[in-house]
Amino acid sequence: MLAGVAALPVRYRSADEDSARWAGFPFREGDIVISTRSKTGTTWVQMICALLIFQTPDLPASLGQLSPWLDFLTTPRDQVYALLAAQRHRRFIKTHTPLDGVPADPRASYLVTGRHPLDVAVSLYHHSGNIDRARLRQLTGQPTPASPPPPRPPLRDWLLSWIADDRDPRDQLDSLPGIMWHLSDAWARRGQPNVLLVHYDDLLADLDGQMRGLAGRLGMAVPAAAWPALVRAATFESMSGHADTLVPTTGLFKSNAAFFRRGRPGAGREILSEPELAGYRARVAGLAPPGLVAWLHGGASG
């Protein structure tokens, strides 16, 4: 059982997501819940889980069908539940909801990803520009705005505003406070046997070792001969080459290929000056425990 999870989970809502869709979800033995912030390696970890479960790069369906996003409002809840109920493989379910908003079940494993927050922010900036907003409004039933949104500021200006954002993290989960809120909750639970933390940069540095470690933690036996092909299929290059079957929602992006934009660290640190980086470090230090901050900034080496 996850320690510290409320009997009635916190509800997180936005125009596109509602964690209340988890209420009453019928878990099974072995379920994997992938709880991530946007652009922290969600699709990457979903792909790794798919490869470990099916033990072949030739997946039987698109990643979005194999690993549905339960609380995303583009698909009716009952339809997502029916899809998951029909699955006979080990299920792995995507959510951007923090663990305190997901029901705790001792039969499930909870996998949380982290990434350097500045890299997350730069990826979010570009990702936002790639979303077809009209299509998203259509899928979620949102009205068309009365006037067009204002133009986005340049990346550097936007990034500085993102660092300074002090809105309630529970209302703005993709803000810096929101990211640290999500991860601080998971960090506090990391001693629980069914909570796993994975760092984006560790996947970059040692994909083979990280995949083998995940297989061990999740109790998956993979034949030795299968490993090379599985690891190749999980590389950023391979995944970007199969973007059409790996993006989370078909038709939602202006470019599926742009969904996998860069995949390497350092983007935010390349943009900001040293005084601005010092301001960022001071801000983060006030939002999370030192151990988590060190881990986020350095992966396993942190």
Side-chain angles (χ1 to χ4, degrees):
M1 191 74 166
L2 290 174
V5 176
L8 294 175
V10 175
R11 185 178 187 180
Y12 293 92
R13 300 182 75 181
S14 71
D16 312 325
E17 302 170 59
D18 187 351
S19 67
R21 287 164 54 120
W22 279 99
F25 178 71
F27 283 88
R28 292 180 191 162
E29 186 69 41
D31 279 347
I32 302 167
V33 177
I34 301 171
S35 165
T36 66
R37 287 292 356 111
S38 304
K39 311 312 292 180
T40 61
T42 310
T43 304
W44 201 354
V45 174
Q46 286 178 283
M47 182 63 168
I48 289 171
C49 287
L51 292 165
L52 295 177
I53 289 167
F54 294 102
Q55 301 191 358
T56 173
D58 300 317
L59 300 180
S62 69
L63 193 59
Q65 287 290 309
L66 297 173
S67 178
W69 183 355
L70 191 148
D71 30 24
F72 197 32
L73 299 177
T74 59
T75 305
R77 175 184 180 274
D78 290 347
Q79 187 174 326
V80 178
Y81 272 43
L83 172 64
L84 287 164
Q87 291 182 345
R88 294 295 171 258
H89 59 78
R90 186 170 179 178
R91 303 187 302 185
F92 53 117
I93 307 157
K94 168 184 172 178
T95 181
H96 286 322
T97 298
L99 292 184
D100 66 352
V102 179
D105 193 291
R107 296 169 294 179
S109 295
Y110 296 80
L111 200 163
V112 182
T113 65
R115 187 183 184 188
H116 195 297
L118 292 180
D119 292 340
V120 175
V122 173
S123 189
L124 278 170
Y125 180 88
H126 293 289
H127 176 69
S128 178
N130 190 38
I131 296 173
D132 184 336
R133 297 291 172 180
R135 177 61 174 156
L136 180 59
R137 288 193 297 270
Q138 181 184 47
L139 289 171
T140 56
Q142 301 174 43
T144 301
S147 58
R152 286 196 304 168
L155 174 56
R156 181 177 170 279
D157 295 345
W158 181 90
L159 184 56
L160 290 171
S161 296
W162 183 85
I163 293 168
D165 191 337
D166 62 356
R167 289 174 291 179
D168 189 325
R170 292 165 293 188
D171 297 330
Q172 299 290 334
L173 284 172
D174 282 333
S175 65
L176 179 57
I179 288 172
M180 305 314 290
W181 174 274
H182 188 146
L183 291 172
S184 293
D185 177 70
W187 185 257
R189 307 166 193 268
R190 69 191 186 282
Q192 298 298 311
N194 60 340
V195 176
L196 296 75
L197 270 67
V198 177
H199 197 296
Y200 189 100
D201 289 359
D202 292 340
L203 294 175
L204 284 174
D206 182 16
L207 182 58
D208 184 287
Q210 289 290 305
M211 288 179 65
R212 290 174 186 268
L214 271 176
R217 288 289 305 273
L218 294 170
M220 298 177 178
V222 179
W227 276 111
L230 299 183
V231 174
R232 282 195 302 272
T235 62
F236 189 85
E237 293 75 18
S238 176
M239 291 181 62
S240 62
H242 295 84
D244 288 343
T245 61
L246 298 181
V247 296
T249 305
T250 303
L252 185 57
F253 301 102
K254 300 170 186 176
S255 166
N256 288 342
F259 183 82
F260 298 95
R261 190 187 67 86
R262 170 168 162 154
R264 59 184 191 275
R269 285 153 284 175
E270 295 167 359
I271 296 168
L272 301 180
S273 68
E274 185 51 44
E276 290 164 345
L277 286 171
Y280 157 77
R281 288 190 289 267
R283 178 88 170 106
V284 169
L287 293 171
L292 171 57
V293 173
W295 179 72
L296 280 176
H297 287 169
S301 64

